[in-house]
Amino acid sequence: MLRVVSIVAALVILSTVLLFPLSARPLPVIEAYMPMYAMAVVLIEGLTAYFFAIQYRFTGWRFMAALSGAYGYVVVMVIFQVIVFPGVFSEMGLLDTGPQSAPWFWVTWHAGFPFFILIALLFYSPRPSPAPQLAVGRYRHLPGIILMLWPVIFGLIVALVVVSLGHRLPELVAGKSYSNIADSLLAPLVIALGLAALAACVYVTRMRDLLGLWLALALLAALGDVVLTLAAIARYSVGWYAARVLSLISSSMVLGFLIWEISGLYRQLLDSHRQLEDRVTYDGLTEAYNRGYFTSHLEKAMVLARQEGVPLSLLMIDADHFKGYNDHQGHQKGDQCLVAIVAAIKKVLRRAGDCVARYGGEEFVVVLPGANAHTAESIATQIHAQIALLQIPRFDGLSAHVTVSIGIATYDGQGGPMDSEDRDRENLAREDMDHEELIRRADAALYRAKHAGRNTSVIFDAA
């Protein structure tokens, strides 16, 4: 970004230097140029002021509030300048203020903006700090609101003074020539304020952040606008047109940075949202789904199975004698073992909708939509085979390698057990079958698998 700013700064300086000798050369009059230019500046500066105000609202950084006020001041000045500018709305401008009001608005605009930037830099700090909590909480943003509004109010007062004086204003323009500005003390005053604001921006911000960089660049372009305007002497000349282009560039730079920054914040928000979703959805160690997600997923899967009238099976898997393995091998090896078990399970789950979740500790559950008891048993056998391939040694004498026990329970898609005999035996109506009952059955089958010697699978049997 520093390289981009440096290139743009070099182009601004180079264009100002190259166009300076040609500034007074007249060009064709384009009457629509001024209103289009003014409309663009008002829109850009207005959006910039708004974005700074929003940033102040959320950060409490008074520097942002002061910058919003500075750009709001420009909006007021440009609106009044275009209203009174000859040839835009009428031959001599609206409000009957005479030919001198437009150049005076230009002077107050280009003198006032750097002045308010100097004021804003008094509130600069390297990092945003919270707005001070006043006695009454709802007034905590009052200082910032004042910083945003007082330049706008001051601009309105200046505009009213210029409009009210009208024909009595000192002469700055004669016909299309405004050489009186360049020959008066106003020219060095405006240039001095521009240079002071640019130097202060570089000194205060130390160019430590992107906002400081782009604000300095905007002030540099605004200074180029002033130099070419004063060198042009007359309206609709090379310098006059070029100065307005630099003015637009100056206006657009900070707005472009703010939009880029907001886009970056939006990307960060999306990334944070994804990370939060991952934390809510996945187990941090094994990257299997967590228990919360499993419960919700199983409940929805059973509703879908009932609607479609298809079976659904649940496997409850437990690592055999895992506590002994953990105590003997250490927790780090135990964690690695759990990760390896989940990876082995995932290799078996190739059907759409199959998922594995960590139920707790060394227990895992596998949801198998559309799988009857036979299919579930086949998948359980494949899981045993995959874990056997891991060849994770135990060294505790209980068994040569890590094994698992699996309990299998199947939901028939209609709310009851798999056969009518079981349903009659348990006196369980079809509509009473829910996800908690399915989990209970899988857990009971797992218990039987452990008592059958472990490293085996057992299908739930109500008998």
Side-chain angles (χ1 to χ4, degrees):
M1 187 62 73
L2 180 60
R3 182 178 299 177
V4 172
V5 172
S6 301
I7 292 173
V8 175
L11 290 175
V12 169
I13 295 172
L14 183 63
S15 60
T16 303
V17 171
L18 292 177
L19 290 171
F20 185 84
L22 306 174
S23 295
R25 182 174 297 180
L27 290 177
V29 175
I30 305 175
E31 294 183 353
Y33 183 83
M34 186 61 190
M36 292 174 60
Y37 157 75
M39 181 177 65
V41 172
V42 168
L43 178 63
I44 294 170
E45 304 283 42
L47 284 172
T48 304
Y50 172 75
F51 284 138
F52 276 133
I54 291 297
Q55 291 219 15
Y56 167 73
R57 175 67 180 82
F58 289 108
T59 65
W61 198 11
R62 291 179 182 173
F63 180 55
M64 295 291 183
L67 287 177
S68 176
Y71 279 88
Y73 171 84
V74 172
V75 171
V76 174
M77 291 297 101
V78 176
I79 289 175
F80 275 93
Q81 188 192 31
V82 75
I83 287 175
V84 301
F85 198 88
V88 176
F89 294 104
S90 67
E91 184 68 23
M92 296 303 295
L94 295 179
L95 305 180
D96 191 27
T97 57
Q100 305 306 318
S101 56
W104 274 102
F105 275 119
W106 182 89
V107 171
T108 54
W109 165 9
H110 288 81
F113 177 65
F115 171 75
F116 286 116
I117 293 295
L118 287 169
I119 298 297
L121 289 168
L122 296 176
F123 298 91
Y124 178 82
S125 59
R127 295 180 180 179
S129 55
Q133 300 293 322
L134 303 181
V136 181
R138 63 181 177 178
Y139 295 129
R140 66 184 182 277
H141 290 301
L142 184 59
I145 293 173
I146 293 173
L147 286 173
M148 286 188 284
L149 291 182
W150 87 271
V152 175
I153 295 172
F154 181 80
L156 290 171
I157 293 172
V158 170
L160 290 175
V161 170
V162 172
V163 169
S164 62
L165 290 177
H167 296 277
R168 291 171 290 170
L169 289 167
E171 185 177 89
L172 294 180
V173 63
K176 293 181 181 179
S177 173
Y178 47 81
S179 58
N180 288 345
I181 300 178
D183 296 335
S184 69
L185 292 176
L186 293 175
L189 173 64
V190 173
I191 292 175
L193 282 170
L195 285 171
L198 177 58
C201 181
V202 173
Y203 176 77
V204 172
T205 66
R206 297 289 197 279
M207 317 301 273
R208 286 173 293 198
D209 54 51
L210 292 177
L211 176 58
L213 282 172
W214 286 101
L215 182 60
L217 190 56
L219 290 169
L220 178 65
L223 190 60
D225 165 22
V226 170
V227 170
L228 289 179
T229 298
L230 294 175
I233 299 177
R235 294 167 180 162
Y236 303 109
S237 59
V238 170
W240 188 86
Y241 280 114
R244 267 110 206 101
V245 172
L246 281 179
S247 176
L248 287 174
I249 292 173
S250 173
S251 300
S252 303
M253 284 174 180
V254 175
L255 178 61
F257 162 71
L258 290 174
I259 292 174
W260 175 84
E261 186 177 52
I262 290 171
S263 299
L265 291 173
Y266 182 70
R267 288 192 297 271
Q268 291 177 19
L269 180 62
L270 286 178
D271 291 341
S272 298
H273 179 68
R274 291 191 190 101
Q275 292 174 10
L276 182 60
E277 279 189 331
D278 288 345
R279 290 179 183 177
V280 172
T281 304
Y282 294 98
D283 174 60
L285 173 64
T286 64
E287 296 185 359
Y289 290 110
N290 59 28
R291 183 167 179 169
Y293 176 84
F294 156 71
T295 303
S296 174
H297 177 71
L298 178 62
E299 189 172 4
K300 294 175 182 176
M302 289 188 69
V303 171
L304 185 61
R306 180 182 291 112
Q307 290 174 348
E308 297 181 354
V310 296
L312 177 146
S313 290
L314 178 66
L315 309 184
M316 186 161 283
I317 305 170
D318 185 80
D320 296 328
H321 300 296
F322 185 75
K323 185 178 184 304
Y325 178 87
N326 218 20
D327 293 342
H328 190 270
Q329 299 288 342
H331 291 286
Q332 186 174 4
K333 286 288 187 179
D335 289 346
Q336 293 173 359
C337 176
L338 295 178
V339 172
I341 288 174
V342 169
I345 294 171
K346 287 181 177 179
K347 287 182 180 179
V348 178
L349 304 181
R350 301 185 183 93
R351 306 179 323 143
D354 293 351
C355 75
V356 57
R358 188 178 183 186
Y359 194 67
E362 69 274 16
E363 282 191 327
F364 301 94
V365 283
V366 175
V367 180
L368 302 172
N372 56 27
H374 176 73
T375 302
E377 186 176 27
S378 174
I379 291 174
T381 300
Q382 295 175 55
I383 291 174
H384 282 297
Q386 283 292 332
I387 291 175
L389 290 174
L390 295 176
Q391 295 285 297
I392 302 175
R394 292 191 61 92
F395 304 114
D396 58 3
L398 294 173
S399 62
H401 302 97
V402 170
T403 59
V404 298
S405 299
I406 303 177
I408 305 169
T410 301
Y411 170 65
D412 68 354
Q414 299 178 14
M418 284 301 292
D419 56 71
S420 58
E421 291 182 4
D422 284 344
R423 187 169 64 251
D424 293 339
R425 187 181 301 117
E426 297 185 29
N427 193 27
L428 179 66
R430 283 182 173 272
E431 59 270 14
D432 290 337
M433 184 69 164
D434 58 13
H435 69 285
E436 292 181 354
E437 174 63 20
L438 189 64
I439 293 172
R440 186 192 69 79
R441 291 172 178 236
D443 190 51
L446 174 62
Y447 180 80
R448 292 175 186 175
K450 286 182 171 294
H451 278 265
R454 291 183 168 85
N455 193 25
T456 188
S457 302
V458 172
I459 299 175
F460 174 78
D461 183 0

